[in-house]
Amino acid sequence: MGTLDHQTGILNAVRCFAAAGWQVDVYTVRNLRFPQARFESSLVTVRHLPVTFDAEREPRMAVTLLFTVWMLFKLRRLPRVVFAGGIRGLFAAYACSLLRSIQVINYQTELYIGEKLDTRAAHLFKAIERRAAQRSLITIEHDATRRYLLSRDLGVPLERILVVPNAPCGPARRHTSRLLHERFGLDSSTPILLCPGTISPAFATELAVQAAQRLREPWRCIVHSAQPRADDDAEIRALRAMDKQQCVLFSLAPVDYARIDDLLGSARVGLVLYSALVGDNTAAVGLASGKLSHFLKLGVPVIVSALPGLADFVLRHRVGEVLQSPDDLLQLIARIDADADGYRARALQCFDEHLSYDQAFRVVLDATETLSDGRRS
């Protein structure tokens, strides 16, 4: 996909395979609106679809079909194992597996659950997804609850679904940055409440802006978009109009994934919000939240949506607070500020013990070794 640079789980899977000694070819799409993914290891080679795009949203059906045809052509000399990152990768890998003898590992980046199957195209899409997932020998999901939802929806046996949190690589370490302070000309001591990711109803951006109206000086809330957005975008204009207290700043130019620690490390507190109104993919987000894990890796305490799984995890490990209402924000920030060092220490410990991608991905490496008969390509 053209947004590969911001697909944490896929990027880290590539890095883990390379660190384990695998030669990895990454097949992806180039979209000029997004930074290109880069890997330090000489074992990784990135290969782009010959057609380049320049659009906020690639035409999904057409590009998926084009990508699949390209993969069939490129993989005439197939490896024994193909790692399918996301739905486009799954469809392409499924097509390859029907024509050639390969094993597929399905990295399920989204749960397509609760979608309205009210068109022939939607029914066809779901039927292909179900058959492709069932044909995959291994499916990777981010969270135990999502594992059960995926199994029920796609008919994949639970024993063939591995759980790997959507987390960054490496051990936890405290990291502070002034990247966003410099971007907006803020004093270096200004505490920032950071709401990163996609700006959309699914990620409760409106709730973040509403809650931020309760902030007191010198606090600022920064809404950072993972995708490039224009200042005159209708959704951005509507959110700005809600900011009556002029305490919200909108960061609409993405940063390279290589600088994500600097981006998230600019925050005193991280906002990890999702809406329960758009289906189980967000309502059951759990450890599929890359924002949650990355904030904790850097020792940044969080305020999260009151969703089962997500809220339970945060409260159980005492790494943040749960936002029940916009009116609660000031109280929650005060609670975190009163024990800032404790929240930071628990965040770092929680990441290393429960979210470390390197540790969780070992089960995938072991399974891949078995599928490939030990041939590391």
Side-chain angles (χ1 to χ4, degrees):
M1 57 194 74
T3 58
L4 178 61
D5 184 69
H6 285 78
Q7 302 295 330
T8 305
I10 300 174
L11 295 176
N12 291 337
V14 172
R15 294 186 173 105
C16 284
F17 277 123
W22 290 82
Q23 181 75 37
V24 186
D25 280 6
V26 180
Y27 292 86
T28 186
V29 170
R30 181 186 284 119
N31 189 329
L32 299 178
R33 299 289 180 95
F34 304 96
Q36 292 184 41
R38 292 179 172 82
F39 302 93
E40 295 179 1
S41 174
S42 60
L43 292 175
V44 180
T45 302
V46 180
R47 305 182 188 280
H48 291 100
L49 182 74
V51 181
T52 300
F53 298 90
D54 186 3
E56 289 187 13
R57 183 183 294 275
E58 299 150 23
R60 291 182 178 179
M61 290 287 189
V63 178
T64 298
L65 179 60
L66 186 62
F67 184 80
T68 299
V69 172
W70 179 59
M71 286 293 292
L72 288 169
F73 173 76
K74 293 293 289 186
L75 298 186
R76 285 172 294 179
R77 297 175 59 189
L78 282 170
R80 290 181 60 84
V81 182
V82 173
F83 183 93
I87 193 70
R88 182 178 296 163
L90 177 60
F91 279 28
Y94 174 55
C96 290
S97 73
L98 291 175
L99 298 177
R100 301 184 175 93
S101 177
I102 64 167
Q103 311 287 4
V104 176
I105 298 177
N106 168 29
Y107 189 90
Q108 190 85 13
T109 57
E110 300 283 345
L111 288 176
Y112 298 95
I113 291 177
E115 302 291 335
K116 292 182 179 179
L117 298 179
D118 54 359
T119 66
R120 290 182 179 179
H123 278 285
L124 177 62
F125 181 90
K126 176 57 72 174
I128 297 174
E129 182 198 8
R130 186 171 288 117
R131 289 176 179 272
Q134 291 173 357
R135 190 173 178 86
S136 303
L137 287 193
I138 298 170
T139 291
I140 302 170
E141 189 43 87
H142 300 306
D143 178 87
T145 300
R146 295 171 71 85
R147 175 174 174 258
Y148 283 103
L149 290 171
L150 185 149
S151 176
R152 189 174 63 205
D153 182 56
L154 300 181
V156 178
L158 285 171
E159 61 270 17
R160 283 167 44 196
I161 305 175
L162 305 178
V163 174
V164 179
N166 186 21
C169 288
R173 65 180 181 88
R174 179 82 177 114
H175 183 77
T176 56
S177 164
R178 294 292 175 264
L179 184 150
L180 289 175
H181 295 78
E182 294 168 2
R183 176 173 281 198
F184 289 101
L186 299 174
D187 185 273
S188 61
S189 63
T190 302
I192 290 176
L193 176 69
L194 177 58
C195 179
T198 302
I199 297 176
S200 80
F203 296 92
T205 314
E206 184 175 314
L207 175 60
V209 175
Q210 289 174 344
Q213 303 309 298
R214 280 75 175 170
L215 290 174
R216 299 278 191 270
E217 289 287 346
W219 278 84
R220 290 291 182 271
C221 175
I222 295 182
V223 174
H224 175 81
S225 176
Q227 295 85 26
R229 300 292 290 267
D231 274 317
D232 60 353
D233 182 295
E235 190 171 15
I236 303 301
R237 291 202 310 269
L239 291 170
R240 288 189 192 278
M242 293 172 53
D243 180 27
K244 305 299 184 185
Q245 302 301 319
Q246 299 293 295
C247 59
V248 181
L249 300 168
F250 292 86
S251 175
L252 304 180
V255 301
D256 288 354
Y257 184 77
R259 299 207 66 191
I260 193 170
D261 284 4
D262 291 333
L263 173 72
L264 301 185
S266 301
R268 177 83 64 87
V269 175
L271 271 181
V272 180
L273 302 181
Y274 299 88
S275 171
L277 303 178
V278 293
D280 284 337
N281 186 51
T282 53
V285 63
L287 300 185
S289 172
K291 293 180 284 188
L292 170 72
S293 58
H294 216 127
F295 275 131
L296 298 185
K297 180 196 174 186
L298 304 179
V300 177
V302 292
I303 294 174
V304 305
S305 298
L307 296 173
L310 181 63
D312 295 340
F313 182 86
V314 166
L315 294 178
R316 181 166 63 252
H317 297 288
R318 299 170 59 217
V319 294
E321 299 294 334
V322 177
L323 185 68
Q324 301 285 352
S325 162
D327 294 331
D328 297 337
L329 182 66
L330 207 57
Q331 178 185 353
L332 300 182
I333 287 178
R335 196 179 297 166
I336 291 173
D337 261 351
D339 183 26
D341 289 340
Y343 277 96
R344 290 173 189 141
R346 291 191 294 272
L348 296 171
Q349 181 181 1
C350 176
F351 179 87
D352 281 338
E353 293 181 356
H354 302 284
L355 296 171
S356 171
Y357 192 93
D358 306 71
Q359 295 181 40
F361 201 75
R362 287 174 186 166
V363 296
V364 181
L365 293 173
D366 291 342
T368 309
E369 191 84 23
T370 301
L371 292 177
S372 67
D373 295 335
R375 284 179 284 182
R376 299 199 163 205
S377 63

